[in-house]
Amino acid sequence: VGYPESLTDPSYAGQILVITFPLVGNYGVPSDEQDELGLLKHFESSKIHLKAVVIQDYSFVPSHYTAKRTLSEWLKEQRVPGIYGVDTRAVTKLIRQHGAVLGKIEIGSGAMVQTIEFDNPNTRNLSAQVSRTERQVFLPPPLDADVAIADQGKRVHILAVDCGIKNNII
């Protein structure tokens, strides 16, 4: 799983994602191409659910054949702040020692710092924020003739209760 999948994973809603891989951004962000079910092919949902992204080193120029935009462009488009130049391994050690901690990104220094309150995602119903609000039916593509004969045309119905379901589960 790469960072496009992680950033759009509904289970990370309201969190700051600290990526420990030393270089991020080198393969850019793929297109918004949809699959045969109408879901975004390269992402876990239709948007970034994170509050912010923290990385150690950022590659400003993507070099992957599927890249359609940079990570920075995508974050700006989705209005998600990102910061680089952070010792993310030190942050990870702190989290391992103390467990999950509240965090925030402040912009500026000294008297210029914008005061941003801590946002505790545990005080909200995150499942309600990331779940579909309307019933959706997804029909699989038609079966091959050999498979249809073996199944004798039986149709299977699957119900999924969305509490932040990822596209790859559908």
Side-chain angles (χ1 to χ4, degrees):
V1 174
Y3 56 83
E5 294 88 354
S6 296
L7 273 62
T8 57
D9 187 333
S11 68
Y12 292 143
Q15 299 179 41
I16 298 173
L17 181 63
V18 178
I19 301 175
T20 57
F21 193 79
L23 180 64
V24 177
N26 54 322
Y27 59 90
V29 178
S31 71
D32 292 330
E33 178 184 357
Q34 294 181 347
D35 64 12
E36 64 274 356
L37 296 176
L39 300 170
L40 292 176
K41 192 173 189 175
H42 304 289
F43 306 101
E44 295 298 345
S45 66
S46 61
K47 69 176 192 168
I48 297 175
H49 291 280
L50 300 170
K51 285 291 187 181
V53 180
V54 178
I55 60 176
Q56 182 174 331
D57 194 14
Y58 178 65
S59 175
F60 291 88
V61 180
S63 60
H64 195 271
Y65 72 97
T66 64
K68 298 296 181 197
R69 57 194 165 211
T70 66
L71 175 59
S72 178
E73 290 168 340
W74 188 40
L75 290 172
K76 285 177 189 171
E77 178 185 297
Q78 299 265 326
R79 302 185 48 80
V80 175
I83 185 172
Y84 69 93
V86 175
D87 184 351
T88 56
R89 296 192 186 260
V91 174
T92 301
K93 286 180 182 178
L94 178 103
I95 293 169
R96 284 185 185 148
Q97 290 171 354
H98 301 285
V101 293
L102 293 179
K104 63 180 175 177
I105 296 175
E106 290 189 340
I107 302 159
S109 62
M112 301 293 290
V113 172
Q114 294 179 352
T115 304
I116 301 171
E117 297 296 320
F118 278 104
D119 176 38
N120 186 348
N122 299 316
T123 62
R124 296 188 311 276
N125 182 354
L126 295 174
S127 181
Q129 291 177 351
V130 298
S131 300
R132 288 168 171 77
T133 56
E134 295 180 16
R135 177 181 165 211
Q136 287 183 284
V137 176
F138 297 99
L139 298 174
L143 298 174
D144 292 340
D146 295 341
V147 176
I149 292 169
D151 286 343
Q152 298 175 1
K154 295 179 185 172
R155 183 165 223 143
V156 175
H157 296 272
I158 299 172
L159 171 70
V161 178
D162 184 1
C163 297
I165 197 167
K166 297 189 283 187
N167 287 354
N168 74 7
I169 293 174
I170 297 172

